[in-house]
Amino acid sequence: MSTRTSSGTARTAFAFALITAAALGLTACAGGEPATAPAGASGAPGAAKGALPTEDVAAAVKKNEAAAKLLPADVRQRGSLRIASAVGTPPSSAYLPDGRTVVGVDADFSAAVAKALGLELKREVVGFEAILPALGSGKYDVGTGNFGVTEERRKTIDFVTYVNDGQGFATRADSPLKAVTDLTQLCGLKVATGAGTTFERTLEQNKGRCAEAGKPPYEVNVFSETGAVWMALQQGRSDVVMSTINGVRYAVTQQKNVKFLNEYRRLDVGFAFKKGTPLAPAFQAAVNGLRADGTYDRILKKWGVTASGIEESRISPPEIPAPKK
């Protein structure tokens, strides 16, 4: 997948944002009350349904001199940070109604880290599947897209962790499906998920387990945009959604007749860099500095994801093991 121009990306992403908004706005169109959000997992407390918080939590961040000294000389001299950002769904990332302003957990941590390092943030919206390959070319210094740390990715990508999210499931409210603790529970069903994600990889790698259990295989329906994933569920073209834990928890509070099933597994999430990057130590020090000054907790609280906090930032930690079932 090639990288599009910045203006073309913005126009296309805005169109996709409208699709996502339509999916997340189905409740408002149909009437009725939203599903109850799990504690500490929904959108920002007190925010109107569908509204995104706009508080600038990075505004008060001061330069972290110790972290800034760890920057490579060429980046310090340039004074800016080139970041490729995928825009998916809240609370990780989304557009404000203007169709241009990117907000979310990823955006806030990016802005706060850049400020702590004394760097200007130059953001370009890029398709999720294009970001990791583009890092190797040197076009961008860092990428964000709620990238989970996996052993496969660690072969070619360095990570600096800032939250813990992972894989979760949702389905329609009338579905008999309960918590998915074993992927063979999906046998015979149609599963909607995002292209190029850890969800797609997990589902494809475990397809054979249905045959081993003497059951019909599940079908993996892959979509490039988050809005299309939820549309497929609502329209009955898919039976279940597999996506980020925080994204699924948020989405079910915005839609009628869908329910959160369960967390399937946790994964560390990090800033992504090309392998061997000299930027990792500075980013790690900056994230840990944000923990120390309280900015870290303010970002998590703003987006209602305090359960995703980590004790300290790490550089390319091992993948958190998948469930044994």
Side-chain angles (χ1 to χ4, degrees):
M1 183 174 178
S2 60
T3 302
R4 295 165 289 189
T5 63
S6 179
S7 59
T9 299
R11 287 193 297 270
T12 305
F14 180 49
F16 288 142
L18 294 179
I19 295 174
T20 303
L24 295 180
L26 287 173
T27 306
C29 295
E33 295 298 321
T36 301
S42 67
K49 183 178 170 183
L52 297 172
T54 56
E55 175 195 2
D56 187 355
V57 289
V61 174
K62 306 297 183 184
K63 185 175 181 180
N64 183 329
E65 297 292 348
K69 287 180 181 178
L70 297 175
L71 287 168
D74 62 324
V75 176
R76 282 202 307 272
Q77 185 174 7
R78 188 205 313 157
S80 62
L81 196 64
R82 301 165 301 194
I83 183 168
S85 298
V87 179
T89 186
S92 177
S93 60
Y95 283 104
L96 289 182
D98 63 11
R100 298 185 302 275
T101 306
V102 178
V103 297
V105 174
D106 291 347
D108 279 348
F109 274 112
S110 301
V113 166
K115 223 177 167 188
L117 295 176
L119 300 174
E120 177 189 0
L121 192 64
K122 295 186 175 181
R123 185 189 309 279
E124 182 175 337
V125 174
V126 180
F128 178 87
E129 297 164 88
I131 291 180
L132 297 186
L135 293 174
S137 71
K139 183 176 182 179
Y140 306 105
D141 299 306
V142 59
T144 60
N146 200 30
F147 289 112
V149 180
T150 67
E151 294 305 315
E152 182 179 353
R153 286 174 174 169
R154 289 204 315 154
K155 295 175 183 177
T156 56
I157 297 293
D158 280 341
F159 293 93
V160 173
T161 60
Y162 55 96
V163 291
N164 178 273
D165 195 348
Q167 304 175 339
F169 290 99
T171 188
R172 291 184 298 278
D174 60 357
S175 171
L177 192 62
K178 304 299 182 183
V180 180
T181 58
D182 189 317
L183 294 181
T184 58
Q185 292 171 253
L186 302 175
C187 296
L189 301 179
K190 296 178 180 179
V191 187
T193 196
T197 60
T198 61
F199 323 116
E200 181 185 9
R201 186 195 68 166
T202 296
L203 292 167
E204 292 293 348
Q205 287 180 339
N206 289 278
K207 258 187 172 180
R209 293 177 57 192
C210 290
E212 294 171 1
K215 298 180 179 181
Y218 53 74
E219 179 182 316
V220 184
N221 296 332
V222 179
F223 300 91
S224 295
E225 300 301 326
T226 305
V229 172
W230 291 101
M231 282 291 194
L233 180 69
Q234 288 280 8
Q235 294 172 356
R237 292 180 286 113
S238 295
D239 301 300
V240 61
V241 165
M242 186 179 190
S243 190
T244 65
I245 294 169
N246 290 335
V248 170
R249 285 190 187 276
Y250 180 88
V252 300
T253 70
Q254 305 300 305
Q255 301 184 58
K256 186 179 180 181
N257 296 329
V258 293
K259 63 182 179 181
F260 178 78
L261 289 175
N262 64 295
E263 296 183 9
Y264 179 67
R265 67 175 297 196
R266 283 274 173 175
L267 284 171
D268 289 317
V269 171
F271 293 105
F273 307 85
K274 67 178 181 181
K275 194 72 176 176
T277 178
L279 286 168
F283 267 70
Q284 180 189 32
V287 173
N288 286 330
L290 296 175
R291 281 190 51 78
D293 70 17
T295 303
Y296 184 92
D297 288 338
R298 284 192 290 275
I299 293 174
L300 297 187
K301 184 177 180 181
K302 171 184 174 180
W303 293 102
V305 293
T306 54
S308 285
I310 57 176
E311 293 185 1
E312 64 175 352
S313 175
R314 295 193 291 168
I315 297 174
S316 297
E319 178 181 350
I320 297 174
K324 293 183 179 180
K325 289 186 179 181

